[in-house]
Amino acid sequence: MSNIVLTEDGTATLYSKEFNESYHSIKDGALRESLEKHIIPAFKFSPLKDKYIILDICFGLGYNTLATLLYIKQNGIDSKIEIISPEINIELIYSLKDFNYPKEFREFRDIIKALSSNLYYRDEQFKIEIFNSDAREIIKNIDSRVDILYQDPFSPKKNPLLWTRDYFLDIREIANRDIIITTYSVATPIRLSMYESGFNIYKYQGSGVRGSTIASLRDLNLERVDIEHKIAVNREAKSLRDSDFI
């Protein structure tokens, strides 16, 4: 069960009673958070490509996926976009055709209806597929190299198995060399989980939102997080492991 919540940018999100968390930051705003913490930095630091494979963890209300379409349209990007997104709450997906999305998404009404009914949409430029399955299982079966990953599940306290070193090692197996991973989390254990999986960790500051994290396998023109220093000054700091929760 979920309750509708109005966020600071005037857009609506839901509060999950199951996870005892909202789907988006109330303070940062649902649409603004998607754009400033995920979509804008992802495309800013990704090389221009004819086609992008995007993994959206997890679909939820679909803000990251729909904001991607919005950004592509507004910036006249001609690239093919394929979005893969797991979501275990199938009833939520079925309800999205009636959700009160922001006006910016009005042009995507037909896409929202198709995804809500069929978990699938495709046209000449976009292909979107939602899988009603656990994200960890989906990742193991992806046969394409991922260019962009929106790391946006519920928090590590509520959904820890989507934040462990083991999880990010699985991500690395399907990652393109120039992958960009975006996430709202700035917690040291999460950054350690990504770092120990071979990713470079960077600080990022979007407009009008709190700071976030970007991870990549390559060097970026961003302030790097000094993980070794963090470990040196805090010997208690450690990454999350599957074995901590299973």
Short mmCIF file of all heavy atoms in Angstrom, two decimals, residues 1 3 30 32 38 45 53 55-56 68 81 88 92 106 124 142 153 171 201 211 223-225 235 241 243-244:
data_model
loop_
_atom_site.label_atom_id
_atom_site.label_comp_id
_atom_site.label_asym_id
_atom_site.label_seq_id
_atom_site.Cartn_x
_atom_site.Cartn_y
_atom_site.Cartn_z
N MET A 1 0.84 -1.20 0.00
CA MET A 1 0.00 0.00 0.00
C MET A 1 0.88 1.25 0.00
O MET A 1 1.95 1.28 0.59
CB MET A 1 -0.91 0.01 1.23
CG MET A 1 -1.91 -1.13 1.27
SD MET A 1 -3.17 -0.95 -0.03
CE MET A 1 -4.04 0.51 0.57
N ASN A 3 0.79 5.84 -0.19
CA ASN A 3 0.05 7.09 -0.11
C ASN A 3 0.70 8.12 -1.02
O ASN A 3 1.93 8.18 -1.13
CB ASN A 3 0.06 7.62 1.33
CG ASN A 3 -0.72 6.73 2.28
OD1 ASN A 3 -1.70 6.11 1.88
ND2 ASN A 3 -0.30 6.68 3.53
N ALA A 30 10.37 15.11 -6.85
CA ALA A 30 10.40 13.88 -7.63
C ALA A 30 11.02 14.08 -9.01
O ALA A 30 11.97 13.40 -9.40
CB ALA A 30 8.98 13.31 -7.75
N ARG A 32 12.61 16.82 -10.22
CA ARG A 32 13.92 17.47 -10.14
C ARG A 32 15.00 16.47 -9.73
O ARG A 32 16.11 16.49 -10.26
CB ARG A 32 13.86 18.63 -9.15
CG ARG A 32 15.12 19.49 -9.13
CD ARG A 32 14.86 20.80 -8.42
NE ARG A 32 14.35 20.59 -7.06
CZ ARG A 32 13.61 21.48 -6.39
NH1 ARG A 32 13.28 22.62 -6.97
NH2 ARG A 32 13.20 21.22 -5.17
N HIS A 38 20.14 11.96 -11.89
CA HIS A 38 20.29 10.80 -12.77
C HIS A 38 20.46 11.19 -14.24
O HIS A 38 21.52 10.99 -14.82
CB HIS A 38 19.10 9.86 -12.59
CG HIS A 38 19.04 9.24 -11.23
ND1 HIS A 38 19.90 8.24 -10.82
CD2 HIS A 38 18.22 9.49 -10.17
CE1 HIS A 38 19.63 7.90 -9.57
NE2 HIS A 38 18.62 8.65 -9.15
N PHE A 45 28.08 13.03 -18.92
CA PHE A 45 29.38 12.36 -18.83
C PHE A 45 29.49 11.11 -19.70
O PHE A 45 30.55 10.48 -19.73
CB PHE A 45 29.69 12.03 -17.36
CG PHE A 45 29.90 13.26 -16.53
CD1 PHE A 45 28.91 13.70 -15.66
CD2 PHE A 45 31.06 14.00 -16.64
CE1 PHE A 45 29.09 14.85 -14.91
CE2 PHE A 45 31.24 15.15 -15.89
CZ PHE A 45 30.26 15.58 -15.02
N ILE A 53 22.08 1.73 -24.05
CA ILE A 53 21.39 0.73 -23.24
C ILE A 53 21.37 1.25 -21.81
O ILE A 53 22.43 1.49 -21.21
CB ILE A 53 22.09 -0.64 -23.28
CG1 ILE A 53 22.24 -1.14 -24.72
CG2 ILE A 53 21.32 -1.65 -22.43
CD1 ILE A 53 20.95 -1.47 -25.41
N LEU A 55 19.93 0.84 -17.85
CA LEU A 55 19.34 -0.02 -16.83
C LEU A 55 18.80 0.87 -15.72
O LEU A 55 19.57 1.60 -15.07
CB LEU A 55 20.38 -1.00 -16.30
CG LEU A 55 19.94 -2.04 -15.27
CD1 LEU A 55 18.77 -2.87 -15.78
CD2 LEU A 55 21.11 -2.94 -14.90
N ASP A 56 17.49 0.85 -15.51
CA ASP A 56 16.82 1.70 -14.53
C ASP A 56 16.41 0.84 -13.34
O ASP A 56 15.45 0.08 -13.40
CB ASP A 56 15.59 2.34 -15.19
CG ASP A 56 14.85 3.30 -14.28
OD1 ASP A 56 15.32 3.53 -13.15
OD2 ASP A 56 13.79 3.82 -14.70
N THR A 68 14.03 10.55 -18.81
CA THR A 68 14.99 10.29 -19.87
C THR A 68 14.38 10.66 -21.22
O THR A 68 15.02 11.33 -22.05
CB THR A 68 15.41 8.81 -19.88
OG1 THR A 68 16.06 8.49 -18.64
CG2 THR A 68 16.37 8.51 -21.03
N ILE A 81 17.31 4.66 -27.90
CA ILE A 81 17.33 4.48 -26.44
C ILE A 81 16.62 3.19 -26.08
O ILE A 81 15.43 3.02 -26.41
CB ILE A 81 16.63 5.66 -25.71
CG1 ILE A 81 17.26 7.00 -26.10
CG2 ILE A 81 16.66 5.44 -24.21
CD1 ILE A 81 18.66 7.21 -25.65
N ILE A 88 9.43 -5.32 -8.89
CA ILE A 88 8.74 -6.46 -8.29
C ILE A 88 7.28 -6.16 -7.96
O ILE A 88 6.47 -7.07 -7.84
CB ILE A 88 9.46 -6.97 -7.03
CG1 ILE A 88 9.57 -5.87 -5.97
CG2 ILE A 88 10.85 -7.51 -7.38
CD1 ILE A 88 10.10 -6.37 -4.63
N LEU A 92 1.71 -1.91 -8.70
CA LEU A 92 2.07 -0.50 -8.88
C LEU A 92 2.13 -0.16 -10.35
O LEU A 92 1.60 0.88 -10.78
CB LEU A 92 3.42 -0.23 -8.21
CG LEU A 92 4.01 1.17 -8.46
CD1 LEU A 92 3.12 2.25 -7.85
CD2 LEU A 92 5.43 1.26 -7.89
N ARG A 106 3.01 14.86 -20.07
CA ARG A 106 1.74 14.70 -20.78
C ARG A 106 1.93 14.09 -22.17
O ARG A 106 1.10 13.31 -22.63
CB ARG A 106 1.03 16.04 -20.89
CG ARG A 106 0.40 16.51 -19.59
CD ARG A 106 -0.18 17.91 -19.71
NE ARG A 106 -0.69 18.39 -18.42
CZ ARG A 106 -1.00 19.64 -18.17
NH1 ARG A 106 -0.87 20.57 -19.14
NH2 ARG A 106 -1.43 20.01 -16.98
N GLU A 124 10.16 4.02 -33.12
CA GLU A 124 11.37 4.09 -33.94
C GLU A 124 12.61 4.46 -33.14
O GLU A 124 13.73 4.10 -33.51
CB GLU A 124 11.18 5.09 -35.08
CG GLU A 124 10.15 4.65 -36.13
CD GLU A 124 10.04 5.64 -37.26
OE1 GLU A 124 10.69 6.71 -37.18
OE2 GLU A 124 9.31 5.35 -38.22
N ILE A 142 21.00 -10.18 -18.53
CA ILE A 142 21.13 -9.15 -19.55
C ILE A 142 22.26 -9.52 -20.49
O ILE A 142 23.39 -9.80 -20.05
CB ILE A 142 21.38 -7.77 -18.90
CG1 ILE A 142 20.13 -7.30 -18.16
CG2 ILE A 142 21.79 -6.74 -19.96
CD1 ILE A 142 20.29 -5.99 -17.45
N PRO A 153 17.13 2.26 -6.23
CA PRO A 153 16.17 1.49 -5.43
C PRO A 153 15.92 2.15 -4.09
O PRO A 153 16.50 3.21 -3.79
CB PRO A 153 16.88 0.14 -5.26
CG PRO A 153 18.33 0.49 -5.27
CD PRO A 153 18.47 1.67 -6.21
N ILE A 171 27.05 -5.95 -11.62
CA ILE A 171 26.87 -4.82 -12.53
C ILE A 171 28.10 -4.67 -13.42
O ILE A 171 27.98 -4.45 -14.64
CB ILE A 171 26.63 -3.52 -11.76
CG1 ILE A 171 25.28 -3.55 -11.02
CG2 ILE A 171 26.71 -2.31 -12.68
CD1 ILE A 171 24.08 -3.66 -11.91
N ILE A 201 34.92 6.52 -8.04
CA ILE A 201 33.79 7.15 -7.36
C ILE A 201 33.97 8.66 -7.36
O ILE A 201 35.04 9.17 -6.98
CB ILE A 201 33.67 6.63 -5.92
CG1 ILE A 201 33.75 5.10 -5.87
CG2 ILE A 201 32.36 7.13 -5.29
CD1 ILE A 201 32.70 4.39 -6.70
N GLY A 211 23.73 16.76 -2.84
CA GLY A 211 24.78 16.07 -3.58
C GLY A 211 24.47 14.61 -3.81
O GLY A 211 23.68 14.00 -3.09
N GLU A 223 35.23 15.75 -9.22
CA GLU A 223 35.98 15.55 -7.98
C GLU A 223 35.86 14.09 -7.54
O GLU A 223 34.78 13.60 -7.26
CB GLU A 223 35.45 16.47 -6.88
CG GLU A 223 36.22 16.33 -5.57
CD GLU A 223 35.68 17.22 -4.46
OE1 GLU A 223 34.75 18.02 -4.74
OE2 GLU A 223 36.17 17.10 -3.33
N ARG A 224 37.01 13.43 -7.47
CA ARG A 224 37.03 12.03 -7.08
C ARG A 224 36.90 11.91 -5.56
O ARG A 224 37.47 12.69 -4.80
CB ARG A 224 38.33 11.38 -7.55
CG ARG A 224 38.34 9.85 -7.44
CD ARG A 224 39.71 9.31 -7.77
NE ARG A 224 40.07 9.52 -9.16
CZ ARG A 224 40.03 8.56 -10.08
NH1 ARG A 224 39.65 7.34 -9.75
NH2 ARG A 224 40.40 8.82 -11.32
N VAL A 225 36.16 10.92 -5.10
CA VAL A 225 36.07 10.62 -3.67
C VAL A 225 37.33 9.86 -3.27
O VAL A 225 37.66 8.83 -3.86
CB VAL A 225 34.82 9.79 -3.35
CG1 VAL A 225 34.78 9.44 -1.86
CG2 VAL A 225 33.56 10.54 -3.77
N ARG A 235 38.52 3.29 10.43
CA ARG A 235 38.82 1.86 10.30
C ARG A 235 37.57 0.98 10.39
O ARG A 235 37.59 -0.19 10.02
CB ARG A 235 39.82 1.42 11.37
CG ARG A 235 41.19 2.08 11.21
CD ARG A 235 41.87 1.62 9.96
NE ARG A 235 43.21 2.20 9.80
CZ ARG A 235 44.01 1.98 8.77
NH1 ARG A 235 43.60 1.18 7.80
NH2 ARG A 235 45.20 2.54 8.70
N ARG A 241 28.04 -6.43 2.10
CA ARG A 241 28.24 -7.73 1.46
C ARG A 241 26.94 -8.52 1.51
O ARG A 241 26.17 -8.41 2.46
CB ARG A 241 29.34 -8.54 2.17
CG ARG A 241 30.63 -7.77 2.46
CD ARG A 241 31.44 -7.53 1.21
NE ARG A 241 32.69 -6.82 1.50
CZ ARG A 241 33.84 -7.40 1.81
NH1 ARG A 241 33.90 -8.73 1.91
NH2 ARG A 241 34.92 -6.68 2.04
N SER A 243 26.64 -11.50 2.24
CA SER A 243 26.72 -12.38 3.42
C SER A 243 26.26 -11.69 4.70
O SER A 243 25.91 -12.35 5.69
CB SER A 243 28.15 -12.89 3.61
OG SER A 243 29.06 -11.80 3.73
N ASP A 244 26.22 -10.35 4.70
CA ASP A 244 25.72 -9.62 5.85
C ASP A 244 24.21 -9.74 6.02
O ASP A 244 23.68 -9.49 7.10
CB ASP A 244 26.07 -8.12 5.74
CG ASP A 244 27.56 -7.85 5.74
OD1 ASP A 244 28.31 -8.66 6.33
OD2 ASP A 244 27.98 -6.83 5.14
#
